[in-house]
Each structure stands twice: as C-alpha cells, then as structure tokens.
Amino acid sequence: MTVRLGDIAPDFTADTTQGPISFHEWKGTGWAVLFSHPRDFTPVCTTELGAAAKLKPEFEKRNVKMIGLSVDPVDSHRKWEQDIADVTGQQVNFPMIGDHDRKVSDLYGMIHPNASDTMTVRSVFVVGPDHKVKLTLTYPASTGRNFAELLRVIDSLQLTSGYAVATPADWKHGDDVIITNAVTDEEAKTRFPKGFQAKKPYLRVTPQPNL
Ligand code: BEZ
C-alpha cells in the first residue's frame, strides 16, 4: 500500500515494547512520528535510536509522540535497547513496534522489495492531530536520518497549519516566512500586522507570526 500526503494514516493494532497499542487511540489528538528501522542489532539503527531518544523532550514540547518499528519481535527490541543504552547513553524512551508479521510495514509500504525483501527501509510518517499524513520520508538502510531536521520540519508543519504562510528553503524557527498567494495584499496588512516585504508580487515575506 502507498500512504501519501493527506491520506488518513492507516490505523492498526500492534505489540510494542510498551505493551499493545491501537495506533489512532495511542496517538490521540496530538501529532505522531512513526519511523521504521531495517533490523535490530544493526549499527546505523543503533545510533538513530539513541539520537531519537535524546531528542524526545523536543518532540514532546511540540506535542509529538514518537514510535519506532522494525520487523523483529518485541523481545528482540528489548534486548537491543540495552545495547543502545551502552553505546549512546540513551534509554529508548518511546514504544518500538515488533512487526514480525510485517502487518504495519505492509500497511505503510515500508518494505521496498527492490531495496530488500526482508527489511524495511528507513521510513518516516509525520501524522497530524486529524490523523492525516503531513510528511513522508524514505531513506535507504545505509543512511541514518537527521532527527533535528525532523524537528525543523515539524516546526514548519505546525506553523503553516495555523497561519496562511509557507516556509522558505532552509527555514528554521524564528526566520521570516512567506505569505501564501491566496492572501491579497489588503488582507495581508491585517493578518500580518508586523508588515511584509514584497520581493516579487508572488513572494512576500513577513516575520514569523506566532512569535
Ligand atoms: C544499519 O542499521 O546499520 C543497517 C541495517 C540494515 C542494513 C544495512 C545497515
């Protein structure tokens, strides 16, 4: 199955290192990041899970729950978590799905057979309060993800869901943003009282409105 932007994130039940969950119920009305790992006891994945665990407080500040997945069973995840703590100093502090029957991997299209028949790729799904998919990322097994980049994107997703703005290349929290073209100049004057600069008629920038 292909899960695309704007789709309702498929609901599922699964065993995790923190007990059985029903995804939509577990996520509640907040945001979630669902991310897959190729296999347990692999080097890149070990570093990724340590990095993700370290940044959990930052995800929590943004009302984002994290949940990992690999096709190994939960008891294997629990053993691996000791290695992750040894190597990275971080206890994995979010649930890890034991997707040994590949139910969730298949539901989300996390197995790309031309990359590997047996392992998931490094997929990321950011799901919003309305259970809709706001972001997808796919990395190969050989390339670890940047979890700070994920936070940066979530800042953009959360900002642009509340204001008629978009964020430019390399934007980070606090930088100026772009007023969307659905907003007329007249409307922009009232909606963005800090003012705006028209670099082109279609490219108007304004200070980040929620600061
Ligand atoms: C890793 O996490 O290092 C890894 C996992 C599967 C294939 C290649 C690398």
Side-chain angles (χ1 to χ4, degrees), residues 82-140:
Q82 185 54 55
D83 283 5
I84 294 164
D86 290 348
V87 171
T88 69
Q90 299 295 324
Q91 201 65 48
V92 177
N93 45 15
F94 47 82
M96 286 285 294
I97 296 168
D99 195 35
H100 54 92
D101 57 2
R102 303 185 191 179
K103 186 176 79 178
V104 181
S105 312
D106 286 339
L107 196 56
Y108 278 76
M110 291 167 167
I111 292 180
H112 295 202
N114 290 326
S116 167
D117 275 342
T118 53
M119 303 185 295
T120 59
V121 291
R122 298 186 194 282
S123 297
V124 181
F125 297 88
V126 176
V127 184
D130 55 3
H131 295 332
K132 289 188 179 165
V133 175
K134 308 297 181 186
L135 176 88
T136 64
L137 288 173
T138 307
Y139 278 45

Side-chain angles (χ1 to χ4, degrees), residues 38 42-45 119 122 141:
T42 52
V44 177
C45 299
M119 303 185 295
R122 298 186 194 282

Side-chain angles (χ1 to χ4, degrees), residues 37-39 41-46 48 80 119-120 122 141-143:
H37 297 273
R39 285 315 280 254
F41 300 101
T42 52
V44 177
C45 299
T46 299
E48 279 195 326
W80 182 32
M119 303 185 295
T120 59
R122 298 186 194 282
S142 51
T143 302

